[in-house]
Amino acid sequence: MTPTSRCRATARMVAVIGVVSLVAACSGNGGATGSGADGYPNRNITFVVPFSAGGPTDTVTRMIAEPMAAQLGGKIVVRNVEGAGGTVGAGEVAQAEPDGLTVLMHHIGMSTAPALYEKLGYQPLKDFETVGLVTEVPMTIVARKDFPPATLSDLVAYVKANANKVTLANAGIGAASHLCGLLFQTAAGVKLQEVPYQGTGPALTDLVGGQVDFMCDQTTNTSGQISAGKVKAYAVTTPARVKSLPDLPTTAEAGLPQLQVSVWHGLYVPAGTPPEVVRKLSEALKVALAEPRVVEQMAKLGTAPVAPEAATPQAHRTKLEEQLGAWAKVIADAGVKAS
Ligand code: MLT
């Protein structure tokens, strides 16, 4: 084949390939091609955390973002969109392009919001695809260091006697800290003054500083302060003690067995995101959760990755459906509504 005919042949070939990718690109899959996942991610992925930076949900998100980015071959940027117990951030992702480039990390709050907010602006099962569960974090009841009650039953007696004076911090209506606070008040038979924050990161800072009296928060946020003796800790809200906090009794051991709650977390993308993209994210999540570094970091903070079969879209959807039903009843019985 002469040089000129060879380059003509090559030119023809380049032309053919060029056209194929052009057609695929024009097939309206927004940055992705063919089955939707080819070429995904073609830009930075944004992980939206609906609470403050430095808090428990932010901490878990940043733990898995890096290994997931490595697996996906792209960059993940974490963005905190705070407000209204996590519903502002969730609402923003529900409206985002269904191209897999905007991902929401949310927790039990996704299942409580519909029962609490009249005008929510999204429906968890309709407006989102579930990608997979991430972890289920125990909660701890903690107080400022100089708060008088010594034990959980002392705390119940104290808040009963001082209900109009005691302040209970949380991260807004529908947040995990709010729900746990609600369960505590129901169990103790009291109504306390609640102090809302945009996340339990800043709430814990104020608790250590003595500005608020007590709160219920995830071990992924409180473990360090408990181990350092910077806060008083009464109990953990799970049936078994947490390995990283061996001296902290369970609520059952401490006399309030009805106060059981842990905070399941999962990843979501807007409804309509190509199934192949969801599958790619779920696969990357599984790999990230198996990383020894992630396992170790989670263990240090009192939690663990979910089992691989739970880090799947279907298992996550099943959990969400079950929790939506469960919390609707608890919230209706408690007669609580976001104003
Ligand atoms: C946070 O990250 O601040 C928490 O998850 C808030 C909460 O739900 O209590």
Side-chain angles (χ1 to χ4, degrees), residues 282-299:
S282 176
E283 287 307 315
L285 172 61
K286 272 192 209 144
V287 172
L289 292 177
E291 285 251 344
R293 198 161 36 97
V294 171
V295 176
E296 196 195 317
Q297 285 172 337
M298 285 199 180

Side-chain angles (χ1 to χ4, degrees), residues 144-292:
R144 59 183 165 83
K145 206 162 170 233
D146 56 356
F147 198 44
T151 66
L152 188 60
S153 26
D154 293 347
L155 175 65
V156 171
Y158 185 88
V159 296
K160 276 189 175 157
N162 303 280
N164 55 357
K165 281 192 299 189
V166 170
T167 53
L168 171 62
N170 65 42
I173 304 268
S177 46
H178 168 250
L179 299 167
C180 182
L182 192 63
L183 294 176
F184 174 86
Q185 292 175 84
T186 308
V190 289
K191 181 77 193 88
L192 299 171
Q193 204 185 314
E194 296 182 13
V195 183
Y197 290 77
Q198 301 283 50
T200 52
L204 187 60
T205 306
D206 274 8
L207 192 82
V208 170
Q211 270 95 59
V212 279
D213 294 325
F214 82 113
M215 76 173 177
C216 192
D217 191 20
Q218 298 161 66
T219 58
T220 37
N221 199 33
T222 57
S223 289
Q225 303 294 3
I226 293 173
S227 306
K230 294 269 179 65
V231 295
K232 196 175 262 187
Y234 295 105
V236 62
T237 62
T238 41
R241 290 192 179 200
V242 167
K243 286 205 187 69
S244 57
L245 298 165
D247 305 331
L248 190 58
T250 64
T251 45
E253 289 170 323
L256 214 58
Q258 64 275 47
L259 181 42
Q260 300 285 324
V261 62
S262 51
V263 185
W264 57 277
H265 288 68
L267 293 177
Y268 301 83
V269 286
T273 300
E276 273 309 293
V277 170
V278 176
R279 195 188 58 70
K280 237 180 165 180
L281 281 165
S282 176
E283 287 307 315
L285 172 61
K286 272 192 209 144
V287 172
L289 292 177
E291 285 251 344

Side-chain angles (χ1 to χ4, degrees), residues 51-52 55-58 107 171 175-177 199-201 217-218:
F51 297 103
S52 312
T57 307
D58 188 66
H107 58 32
S177 46
T200 52
D217 191 20
Q218 298 161 66

Side-chain angles (χ1 to χ4, degrees), residues 19-29 32-34:
V19 171
V20 171
S21 52
L22 181 61
V23 171
C26 303
S27 62
N29 275 339
T33 58

